[in-house]
Structure formats: C-alpha cells, structure tokens
Amino acid sequence: MAETPVIHVLNGPNLNLLGVREPDIYGRDTLADIEKRCIAAANGATIVFRQTNHEGVLVDWIQEARESAHALIINPAAYGHTSVALHDALKTLSIPLIELHLSNPAAREAFRHHSYVSSAATGVIAGFGAAGYELAVQAALTKIRERA
C-alpha cells in the first residue's frame, strides 16, 4: 500500500458523555480513551476521530469521507435507529463502512433492533464495548488492504 490509509471514525449523539453516561451499558472509557485506542490499533494509518450531537454534521462528515478516507467507521448511536438521512449519505460511499455499537442493540429495547446504517455497511461490530473500536479499525485496515 503506497499511500498511508486514512480511516474516519465518526461518533453520534451523546457519545461525548462516555465514561459517565450509563457506564453499566457503555463502560467507563471516555471518548478520548477510545480515540487513543483507535490510534494505537491503526498501525500507522491516519485516524480522523470526531463526535457530534447533530445529525446534519454527521451527514457532512460522511460526504467529506467520500473524498478523503479509505474507510469509514461509524457509531451512529441513536441516529442509527432513526435517520434515513444518515442511511442515504452512507449509501453514497464506495469505501469500506463499518457500523459500530458499544452495546448489542439486538439485546436491548425493541426500538434499537432496526438500524438504517446496517443495510449500507460492509460489516457490523456490536457488543464489545470500547474494544469494538479496535476491532473496527483492524477490520477497516483489512478491507483497505483487500482493495489495494
């Protein structure tokens, strides 16, 4: 791989509260802790790590990733269950897309069982807490290498 891979890691609403919000479900790692884990797992790849509580900002970042990323990892949080706009933006990607959830949505409330992101995703990682981010980075790197 001649070019250094760039992986965008996008995080949706309320993930800025990780470490204090429902730690029994989401764990005690903060988003800053998770960003460090992603960088360590990246094996030299560039990680662009972002979080927003605003749906339109996520859509803008997805559109940006179309031009500047080799892969996209997204933890859409609640927007995964509600946002057709997110789905439509993700469907425009031609790069590997990993959907990520700290908890396992299938084991939670019924409204979390459907994801608008899954049908656009290359793969889904759920239920492994903060370690899921490292798994997602490794999966993204594998998919990038496969495409090279």
Side-chain angles (χ1 to χ4, degrees):
M1 197 176 314
E3 191 177 357
T4 301
V6 176
I7 302 170
H8 286 216
V9 181
L10 305 182
N11 296 280
N14 298 310
L15 292 171
N16 56 307
L17 299 176
L18 287 178
V20 295
R21 176 182 172 239
E22 299 181 273
D24 53 316
I25 295 173
Y26 300 112
R28 298 214 177 270
D29 284 335
T30 66
L31 204 56
D33 296 332
I34 290 171
E35 180 178 10
K36 289 176 191 167
R37 290 172 80 146
C38 287
I39 292 167
N43 199 27
T46 299
I47 298 291
V48 176
F49 195 92
R50 297 173 170 163
Q51 185 276 331
T52 184
N53 292 320
H54 305 283
E55 182 180 25
V57 173
L58 273 177
V59 170
D60 289 342
W61 289 344
I62 292 164
Q63 291 177 4
E64 178 186 321
R66 289 180 68 233
E67 304 298 323
S68 61
H70 294 93
L72 174 66
I73 297 167
I74 187 166
N75 182 340
Y79 288 141
H81 314 296
T82 63
S83 179
V84 174
L86 217 59
H87 169 269
D88 290 350
L90 292 167
K91 291 293 281 185
T92 71
L93 297 176
S94 61
I95 58 175
L97 167 62
I98 313 286
E99 179 183 5
L100 171 67
H101 298 279
L102 291 159
S103 66
N104 178 0
R108 297 190 58 201
E109 303 94 337
F111 71 86
R112 297 184 195 275
H113 295 177
H114 178 266
S115 168
Y116 285 100
V117 173
S118 293
S119 64
T122 305
V124 179
I125 297 172
F128 294 99
Y133 280 82
E134 294 164 271
L135 295 170
V137 168
Q138 292 166 5
L141 288 170
T142 297
K143 289 297 181 185
I144 291 167
R145 278 192 293 275
E146 287 174 357
R147 299 175 74 134

